[in-house]
Amino acid sequence: MQTTDFLTQLNLSQRQAVEHFCGPMLVVAGAGSGKTRALTYRVAHLIRHHRVHPENILAVTFTNKAAREMKDRIERLFAQQQAETKYGKPFSALTQEEQTRLRSQVYKNITKHLWMGTFHSLCARILRFDINKYQDEKKRRWDKNFSIFDESDAQSLVKQIVTKQLNLDDKKFNPRSVRYAIGNAKNKGMSPLEYQRAEPDYRGRVIAEVYGIYQDNLAANNALDFDDLIRIPVELFRQNEQVLAYWHQHFNHILVDEYQDTNRTQYNFIRYLATNGEDPRYFNNWKNRSVFVVGDVDQSIYSFRMADYTILLEFQNDFGDGLPDEDTRTMIKLEENYRSRENILEVANKLIENNTQRIDKVLKPTRGLGEEIYCYEAESEREEAEFVCSKIQEITDQNPELDLGSFAVLYRTNSQSRPLEEALIHYDIKYVIIGGLRFYDRKEIKDALAYLRVIANPADTVSLLRIINTPRRGIGKTTIDSLLNASSQMGIPLWEIINDKASVNALAGRSSKAVNKFAEIIQHLQDEVENLTALEIVEGILETSGYTEDLKKQGTEEADNRLENLGELCSAVAQFQEDNEDTTLGSFLANASLASDLDNLQDGQEAVSLMTLHSAKGLEFPVLFMVGLEQGLLPHFRSIDDPLSLEEERRLCYVGITRAQEQLFLSYATERRQLWGARDATIPSQFLGELPADLVNTNAMKKAIYRSKRQSKKTQNSVVKKAVSNQTESWQIGDKVMHENFGVGLVTNVFGEGKKISLGIKFGKMTKIINPKIEPMEKLN
DNA sequence: GAGACCGTTATTTTT
DNA sequence: TAACGGTCTC
């Protein structure tokens, strides 16, 4: 590959970023400025031009999906280049067979070796090598088959400690907030003891105690939570020079995407690896070594997860040369936006200007004005959803080249998806929901994974308890309690009791037989774990445990659905085996625990995407809807009173807007279903008021009616009357109307006359029969 | 030991 | 409103 081949496809700043070789570099990259391109090309350039071995590159992405796409793009770059050198023609001109062969060669020689993934998956991978070398302050230890507890595992563990072990009121010590406090402590690098010193009051002491017991329990289960996955490598680097030196030497070039959303622990992870533990301000051994971070403070939206954008703001003083913008050699700004139309960018820029916490930066348009932005005021969530559907229909009708994959609907909270789903089903529009209930969170999937976790890691008592009587095999509470009791008395994992026939016969009474049989099933697969593929283990366990049989017997629709999901799990395992070198059960389980729903979002899928604003980070869509722009929702009421949180909500709104490529629709409902059934009036989001009015078109007539409605409830009648008195004019086919609920329509039929007149009106795809004397409606032009 | 029923309680965002 | 958890009963 001629180096210039792909460098010519970059603008000056992007090119600088790609050609940067050694030392620290911060790329301040606005939304849609081609940062992914810069990252992928830089990785390719390091390998191709500087002869860096792929294995020595560590690239951190925000999602697994982003990692996969980046690998894919790098693979394509190399395949393209090799097609030209080997066959003398472009990749696309090769036969299918040649293409596949080339791709798999590139995979084998290059992309397979890259360390590319999220902090969590990369750290999990490091820990599978080295966790046996780690020991914490209370001498707790783990081994490489550790389980990964997800947030719900972690929370139920906390709950169990609070209510069962400490006999405290879980209303006063709400498991979620206690778990949050523990997570907070972990990300600040505090042990239970240090936490107690920092928070010496009663509540602090209790939380510290829970935290200590929580770690005991994790260790007893040979399990880690999401925070530990990153914290423990950092602690290990701190306590073990050789381990640190090994990984420091291994990762010569470190790249981090979405750097504004890293937290302290993640920062420390990067810092240790980059400088071998030295203070970055004095570290100067940058030979064949770089730290390259990309981010945008305006898109920092994860502070609830301890993300801290000041880490990005500090980069220049920390790793960089600390010089002002015009002189620095360790920072590049990417400001040209290649994604969105000018109207959209202008609106985004104006909105974000209201924030105080930022680096000044303006998105510069490159793509022309585009369509106007439309803000729709709906009457209810339902009607808002109908607006979205009818717009989608209208746009697809007019633009047959657009498929449904071009559309996305974004909202603040997952629960907002419901009315949208109902409307989409009603309109017969295909959709996919990203997030909400993850595939791996479904009961049957969690059960299946629990079986697998017990096989891989018998110490995992949480999983063991989940499945010991699932499906029902006659092992009840009394039996389990007596087994558990023995396990804690003897200080050994529950599994060791269960797997010992003598103990079971002594303790389990009537249920002994069932327990022994259960133990045999698990034991059998444990013995075979080395010889079988992950897929064989999954299929084996579902069969021998009686799980599928039980579901088949039920024969309900729900059971069928679960069977189907289990089938999907098997294909996921098969897919995993195909995609990965390391096909052991442990590796699959780590992957499953860290998989997110986003990973299933596929390009070219013929369906509208529904997701939260958070999930939409890093994505783009030609036509974008943002719904529920109301005070209390966006900005969320939990953030409305705190200026800094409010700025984060504004960034969230900014992230949403900047996902749009061609067209942007904003909407809100004036009446919303509230917490328990009651409906309540809403106030439009303050962010709408911050957008330049001349760029945003609204259904203004409705707004006027609405405003007068609100001024006084009494006037409501007169509004209707006024509307009616407006309708004395005659109607004919072809008239254009503006209807309060359905928007603009076209009169297609006129029935009757005088008082009894009614009109057939086409609003987008739906046709309604409406009496203009009753329904407030205005004739246009 | 299993299932029914009733009361309570929750809604921010996610690797 | 809906889902979950705990209790009570068979």
Side-chain angles (χ1 to χ4, degrees), chain A residues 354-384:
Chain A
N354 290 286
N355 271 13
T356 60
Q357 307 285 309
R358 58 190 303 256
I359 300 179
D360 266 337
K361 171 174 59 60
V362 181
L363 297 176
K364 294 175 191 148
T366 63
R367 302 198 46 224
L369 221 50
E371 307 271 334
E372 66 185 359
I373 290 153
Y374 189 75
C375 178
Y376 183 74
E377 180 188 272
E379 208 162 62
S380 63
E381 274 183 306
R382 267 193 59 171
E383 205 242 316
E384 183 181 42

Short mmCIF file of all heavy atoms in Angstrom, two decimals, chain A residues 354-384:
data_model
loop_
_atom_site.label_atom_id
_atom_site.label_comp_id
_atom_site.label_asym_id
_atom_site.label_seq_id
_atom_site.Cartn_x
_atom_site.Cartn_y
_atom_site.Cartn_z
N ASN A 354 -24.64 27.24 25.57
CA ASN A 354 -25.19 27.56 26.89
C ASN A 354 -24.43 26.86 28.02
O ASN A 354 -24.69 27.14 29.19
CB ASN A 354 -26.67 27.17 26.97
CG ASN A 354 -27.52 28.07 26.11
OD1 ASN A 354 -27.76 29.22 26.44
ND2 ASN A 354 -27.95 27.56 24.96
N ASN A 355 -23.55 25.96 27.68
CA ASN A 355 -22.77 25.29 28.72
C ASN A 355 -21.53 26.12 29.08
O ASN A 355 -20.95 26.76 28.22
CB ASN A 355 -22.34 23.89 28.25
CG ASN A 355 -23.36 22.85 28.61
OD1 ASN A 355 -24.49 23.18 28.99
ND2 ASN A 355 -22.98 21.59 28.50
N THR A 356 -21.15 26.05 30.36
CA THR A 356 -19.95 26.77 30.77
C THR A 356 -18.74 25.86 30.78
O THR A 356 -17.61 26.30 30.58
CB THR A 356 -20.13 27.34 32.19
OG1 THR A 356 -20.36 26.25 33.09
CG2 THR A 356 -21.30 28.30 32.24
N GLN A 357 -18.97 24.55 31.03
CA GLN A 357 -17.87 23.60 31.18
C GLN A 357 -17.49 23.02 29.82
O GLN A 357 -17.98 21.97 29.44
CB GLN A 357 -18.28 22.45 32.10
CG GLN A 357 -18.83 22.88 33.42
CD GLN A 357 -17.73 23.36 34.33
OE1 GLN A 357 -16.74 22.69 34.52
NE2 GLN A 357 -17.92 24.55 34.89
N ARG A 358 -16.64 23.73 29.09
CA ARG A 358 -16.28 23.16 27.79
C ARG A 358 -15.02 23.81 27.21
O ARG A 358 -14.55 24.82 27.70
CB ARG A 358 -17.45 23.28 26.81
CG ARG A 358 -17.95 24.69 26.56
CD ARG A 358 -19.24 24.67 25.77
NE ARG A 358 -19.12 23.99 24.52
CZ ARG A 358 -19.03 24.60 23.33
NH1 ARG A 358 -19.08 25.90 23.24
NH2 ARG A 358 -18.89 23.90 22.23
N ILE A 359 -14.48 23.17 26.19
CA ILE A 359 -13.42 23.77 25.39
C ILE A 359 -14.13 24.42 24.22
O ILE A 359 -14.96 23.78 23.57
CB ILE A 359 -12.47 22.68 24.83
CG1 ILE A 359 -11.81 21.90 25.95
CG2 ILE A 359 -11.43 23.31 23.93
CD1 ILE A 359 -10.87 20.80 25.45
N ASP A 360 -13.81 25.68 23.92
CA ASP A 360 -14.50 26.34 22.81
C ASP A 360 -14.23 25.60 21.50
O ASP A 360 -13.10 25.27 21.20
CB ASP A 360 -14.03 27.79 22.69
CG ASP A 360 -14.99 28.69 23.45
OD1 ASP A 360 -16.14 28.27 23.67
OD2 ASP A 360 -14.58 29.80 23.83
N LYS A 361 -15.31 25.36 20.81
CA LYS A 361 -15.18 24.54 19.62
C LYS A 361 -16.49 24.70 18.87
O LYS A 361 -17.55 24.69 19.46
CB LYS A 361 -14.96 23.09 20.04
CG LYS A 361 -15.01 22.08 18.96
CD LYS A 361 -14.63 20.71 19.51
CE LYS A 361 -15.52 20.23 20.64
NZ LYS A 361 -16.92 20.09 20.28
N VAL A 362 -16.38 24.90 17.58
CA VAL A 362 -17.60 25.04 16.77
C VAL A 362 -17.57 23.99 15.68
O VAL A 362 -16.54 23.74 15.08
CB VAL A 362 -17.66 26.45 16.12
CG1 VAL A 362 -18.93 26.59 15.32
CG2 VAL A 362 -17.59 27.54 17.17
N LEU A 363 -18.71 23.35 15.46
CA LEU A 363 -18.77 22.39 14.37
C LEU A 363 -18.95 23.13 13.06
O LEU A 363 -19.90 23.90 12.90
CB LEU A 363 -19.94 21.42 14.60
CG LEU A 363 -19.84 20.56 15.85
CD1 LEU A 363 -21.09 19.72 16.01
CD2 LEU A 363 -18.61 19.67 15.78
N LYS A 364 -18.01 22.91 12.15
CA LYS A 364 -18.09 23.63 10.87
C LYS A 364 -18.74 22.75 9.82
O LYS A 364 -18.32 21.62 9.58
CB LYS A 364 -16.69 24.01 10.42
CG LYS A 364 -16.06 25.03 11.36
CD LYS A 364 -14.61 25.32 10.98
CE LYS A 364 -13.95 26.12 12.09
NZ LYS A 364 -12.52 25.82 12.21
N PRO A 365 -19.79 23.30 9.18
CA PRO A 365 -20.54 22.48 8.22
C PRO A 365 -19.76 22.26 6.93
O PRO A 365 -18.94 23.08 6.53
CB PRO A 365 -21.78 23.32 7.95
CG PRO A 365 -21.37 24.72 8.26
CD PRO A 365 -20.34 24.64 9.34
N THR A 366 -20.00 21.12 6.29
CA THR A 366 -19.41 20.86 4.98
C THR A 366 -20.45 20.39 3.99
O THR A 366 -20.13 20.09 2.85
CB THR A 366 -18.34 19.74 5.08
OG1 THR A 366 -18.99 18.52 5.49
CG2 THR A 366 -17.25 20.08 6.06
N ARG A 367 -21.72 20.29 4.41
CA ARG A 367 -22.67 19.57 3.58
C ARG A 367 -23.91 20.34 3.14
O ARG A 367 -24.91 19.73 2.78
CB ARG A 367 -23.18 18.33 4.33
CG ARG A 367 -22.13 17.36 4.78
CD ARG A 367 -22.74 16.03 5.09
NE ARG A 367 -23.67 15.59 4.07
CZ ARG A 367 -24.85 15.07 4.32
NH1 ARG A 367 -25.26 14.92 5.56
NH2 ARG A 367 -25.65 14.71 3.35
N GLY A 368 -23.90 21.67 3.20
CA GLY A 368 -25.09 22.39 2.73
C GLY A 368 -26.22 22.41 3.74
O GLY A 368 -26.22 21.65 4.70
N LEU A 369 -27.17 23.27 3.47
CA LEU A 369 -28.19 23.62 4.45
C LEU A 369 -29.09 22.48 4.90
O LEU A 369 -29.30 22.25 6.07
CB LEU A 369 -29.06 24.74 3.86
CG LEU A 369 -29.45 25.86 4.80
CD1 LEU A 369 -28.23 26.41 5.54
CD2 LEU A 369 -30.13 26.98 4.01
N GLY A 370 -29.66 21.77 3.95
CA GLY A 370 -30.57 20.68 4.30
C GLY A 370 -31.98 21.15 4.63
O GLY A 370 -32.31 22.33 4.53
N GLU A 371 -32.81 20.17 5.02
CA GLU A 371 -34.22 20.45 5.33
C GLU A 371 -34.33 21.24 6.63
O GLU A 371 -33.43 21.22 7.46
CB GLU A 371 -34.97 19.13 5.53
CG GLU A 371 -34.84 18.15 4.40
CD GLU A 371 -35.91 18.36 3.35
OE1 GLU A 371 -36.98 18.88 3.72
OE2 GLU A 371 -35.66 18.02 2.18
N GLU A 372 -35.46 21.89 6.78
CA GLU A 372 -35.66 22.60 8.04
C GLU A 372 -35.93 21.61 9.17
O GLU A 372 -36.37 20.47 8.95
CB GLU A 372 -36.81 23.59 7.92
CG GLU A 372 -38.14 22.93 7.71
CD GLU A 372 -39.24 23.96 7.48
OE1 GLU A 372 -38.95 25.17 7.50
OE2 GLU A 372 -40.39 23.54 7.27
N ILE A 373 -35.65 22.05 10.36
CA ILE A 373 -35.89 21.22 11.53
C ILE A 373 -37.32 21.46 11.99
O ILE A 373 -37.79 22.59 11.99
CB ILE A 373 -34.88 21.57 12.63
CG1 ILE A 373 -33.50 21.09 12.18
CG2 ILE A 373 -35.27 20.94 13.96
CD1 ILE A 373 -32.38 21.85 12.75
N TYR A 374 -38.00 20.40 12.33
CA TYR A 374 -39.40 20.54 12.68
C TYR A 374 -39.63 20.11 14.11
O TYR A 374 -39.15 19.07 14.55
CB TYR A 374 -40.25 19.68 11.73
CG TYR A 374 -41.73 19.92 11.88
CD1 TYR A 374 -42.31 21.08 11.38
CD2 TYR A 374 -42.53 18.99 12.52
CE1 TYR A 374 -43.67 21.31 11.52
CE2 TYR A 374 -43.89 19.21 12.67
CZ TYR A 374 -44.45 20.38 12.17
OH TYR A 374 -45.79 20.61 12.31
N CYS A 375 -40.34 20.96 14.84
CA CYS A 375 -40.67 20.61 16.22
C CYS A 375 -42.18 20.42 16.34
O CYS A 375 -42.94 21.33 16.04
CB CYS A 375 -40.19 21.70 17.17
SG CYS A 375 -40.62 21.34 18.88
N TYR A 376 -42.57 19.26 16.75
CA TYR A 376 -44.00 18.94 16.81
C TYR A 376 -44.51 18.91 18.24
O TYR A 376 -43.93 18.24 19.10
CB TYR A 376 -44.23 17.58 16.16
CG TYR A 376 -45.68 17.17 16.10
CD1 TYR A 376 -46.55 17.77 15.19
CD2 TYR A 376 -46.18 16.21 16.96
CE1 TYR A 376 -47.88 17.41 15.13
CE2 TYR A 376 -47.51 15.83 16.92
CZ TYR A 376 -48.37 16.45 15.99
OH TYR A 376 -49.68 16.09 15.94
N GLU A 377 -45.57 19.67 18.44
CA GLU A 377 -46.21 19.62 19.75
C GLU A 377 -47.37 18.64 19.69
O GLU A 377 -48.33 18.85 18.96
CB GLU A 377 -46.73 21.00 20.14
CG GLU A 377 -47.40 20.99 21.49
CD GLU A 377 -48.08 22.33 21.78
OE1 GLU A 377 -47.41 23.22 22.31
OE2 GLU A 377 -49.27 22.47 21.46
N ALA A 378 -47.27 17.57 20.45
CA ALA A 378 -48.33 16.57 20.43
C ALA A 378 -49.17 16.71 21.68
O ALA A 378 -48.77 17.36 22.65
CB ALA A 378 -47.71 15.18 20.38
N GLU A 379 -50.31 16.07 21.62
CA GLU A 379 -51.22 16.20 22.73
C GLU A 379 -50.89 15.19 23.83
O GLU A 379 -51.06 15.44 25.00
CB GLU A 379 -52.63 15.96 22.23
CG GLU A 379 -53.65 16.69 23.04
CD GLU A 379 -54.93 16.77 22.27
OE1 GLU A 379 -55.48 15.69 21.98
OE2 GLU A 379 -55.35 17.89 21.94
N SER A 380 -50.46 14.03 23.39
CA SER A 380 -50.17 12.98 24.35
C SER A 380 -49.02 12.16 23.81
O SER A 380 -48.63 12.31 22.65
CB SER A 380 -51.39 12.08 24.51
OG SER A 380 -51.65 11.46 23.26
N GLU A 381 -48.50 11.29 24.64
CA GLU A 381 -47.45 10.39 24.18
C GLU A 381 -47.90 9.59 22.98
O GLU A 381 -47.15 9.35 22.05
CB GLU A 381 -47.09 9.40 25.30
CG GLU A 381 -46.08 9.91 26.27
CD GLU A 381 -45.74 8.83 27.28
OE1 GLU A 381 -46.67 8.30 27.92
OE2 GLU A 381 -44.56 8.51 27.42
N ARG A 382 -49.16 9.15 23.05
CA ARG A 382 -49.70 8.33 21.96
C ARG A 382 -49.72 9.09 20.66
O ARG A 382 -49.33 8.57 19.61
CB ARG A 382 -51.14 7.91 22.30
CG ARG A 382 -51.23 6.59 22.97
CD ARG A 382 -52.65 6.12 22.98
NE ARG A 382 -53.19 6.00 21.63
CZ ARG A 382 -54.36 5.44 21.37
NH1 ARG A 382 -55.09 4.96 22.35
NH2 ARG A 382 -54.79 5.35 20.13
N GLU A 383 -50.18 10.33 20.77
CA GLU A 383 -50.28 11.12 19.55
C GLU A 383 -48.89 11.48 19.03
O GLU A 383 -48.66 11.55 17.82
CB GLU A 383 -51.10 12.38 19.83
CG GLU A 383 -51.76 12.94 18.61
CD GLU A 383 -51.25 14.32 18.30
OE1 GLU A 383 -51.12 15.14 19.24
OE2 GLU A 383 -50.98 14.59 17.12
N GLU A 384 -47.96 11.66 19.96
CA GLU A 384 -46.58 11.92 19.59
C GLU A 384 -46.03 10.73 18.79
O GLU A 384 -45.39 10.89 17.75
CB GLU A 384 -45.74 12.14 20.85
CG GLU A 384 -44.30 12.50 20.59
CD GLU A 384 -43.52 12.67 21.90
OE1 GLU A 384 -43.72 11.84 22.81
OE2 GLU A 384 -42.73 13.61 22.00
#
